[in-house]
Amino acid sequence: MANPVLLLHGFTGSVASTWQPTGIIDLLSDGGREVIAWDLPGHGSADKHHDPAGYADMEAKLVERLAAEVGEQTVDGVGFSMGSRTLLAMAAMAPERFGRLVVSGVGRNLFERDDEQAERIARGVSGEAEADDVHAQTFARYAAEPDQDGQALAAFMRRKHAPLGDDEFARITHPVRVVLGTEDFAGPADPLLDALADASFTELRGCDHFATPKNFGFIDAVMDHLEVF
């Protein structure tokens, strides 16, 4: 029996805005895969907290939620941006629960956390971005979409992240496809490819960060790597 597929969207995203418009849920379903698609805490229809402490141990709680939903069954995973980081952290915590993984919109940025930039983005989604801060203003526009709560997103950005360093990457021995656009600010992909034991790479020519989930090259990479026919 083919593994279910867990889809995790990025910061300021949701299932409705990231996965449903692309048709990827239908494609996976038509390929015989059960699809598990969650709104991350603080996003979309999920519980929203205005205190960063409300998002403590998010990744561990998501592992528990996955176990409750699928039992001992192995799950493949697809992530975008923050969803990719979350997926990798979950795979490090419970490697036995995961099979093949696709992570997109991440690369160098996983190894160079910029607390100052994170705070600018948090201010952006809460409506306090500086007029000339293009990066924060971009996230602010996505945070203004229906079902989003800027204060909850700001708290999410300010939460304590699960570690993702050498020890964690050593436990991620799954086959991982890294998908990254040539115009994505998260790149280059090399540090991530070097850190993973079994990595392959799909480059999306001319694609920026936010366009990645809708890029046909990304969708093709998912279908190929997860062996959905």
Side-chain angles (χ1 to χ4, degrees):
M1 186 177 191
N3 294 340
V5 180
L6 173 65
L7 302 179
L8 295 180
H9 63 78
F11 180 62
T12 73
S14 67
V15 174
S17 67
T18 304
W19 305 123
Q20 288 179 349
T22 68
I24 195 169
I25 293 176
D26 291 336
L27 287 170
L28 290 168
S29 297
D30 290 347
R33 298 301 188 95
E34 175 189 354
V35 177
I36 304 166
W38 300 331
D39 285 341
L40 291 175
H43 296 71
S45 62
D47 291 341
K48 298 179 175 67
H49 309 282
H50 289 183
D51 182 345
Y55 304 101
D57 302 320
M58 178 191 76
E59 294 85 354
K61 291 174 182 175
L62 291 177
V63 169
E64 292 174 359
R65 180 179 179 182
L66 185 64
E69 190 156 334
V70 303
E72 297 300 317
Q73 193 168 6
T74 301
V75 173
D76 293 336
V78 179
F80 168 61
S81 194
M82 181 62 71
S84 292
R85 190 195 192 283
T86 302
L87 183 62
L88 290 169
M90 291 172 66
M93 290 176 179
E96 72 284 357
R97 294 204 166 276
F98 291 92
R100 305 179 76 84
L101 306 175
V102 179
V103 294
S104 61
V106 288
R108 169 205 50 79
N109 64 324
L110 292 181
F111 303 88
E112 299 178 4
R113 178 167 170 79
D114 187 336
D115 291 330
E116 181 180 345
Q117 182 183 72
E119 179 58 27
R120 291 202 312 271
I121 292 171
R123 291 199 300 269
V125 295
S126 60
E128 303 170 6
E130 298 292 335
D132 61 350
D133 190 336
V134 176
H135 201 55
Q137 291 284 2
T138 300
F139 278 102
R141 288 195 294 274
Y142 284 97
E145 292 183 352
D147 295 326
Q148 300 292 22
D149 179 332
Q151 295 301 320
L153 292 170
F156 181 93
M157 178 58 69
R158 291 171 174 137
R159 80 195 191 284
K160 182 179 180 180
H161 289 63
L164 190 59
D166 291 345
D167 290 344
E168 288 72 33
F169 278 110
R171 292 194 288 272
I172 303 172
T173 58
H174 319 73
V176 181
R177 177 71 59 87
V178 178
V179 184
L180 193 67
T182 57
E183 309 307 311
D184 195 323
F185 57 74
D190 301 55
L192 179 56
L193 295 170
D194 291 342
L196 292 165
D198 185 2
S200 56
F201 180 51
T202 296
E203 181 181 72
L204 305 179
R205 297 296 302 173
C207 184
D208 67 20
H209 186 77
F210 296 103
T212 297
K214 300 178 180 64
N215 188 285
F216 289 128
F218 163 72
I219 296 171
D220 286 345
V222 170
M223 305 300 281
D224 174 65
H225 189 66
L226 300 189
E227 299 177 341
V228 180
F229 304 107

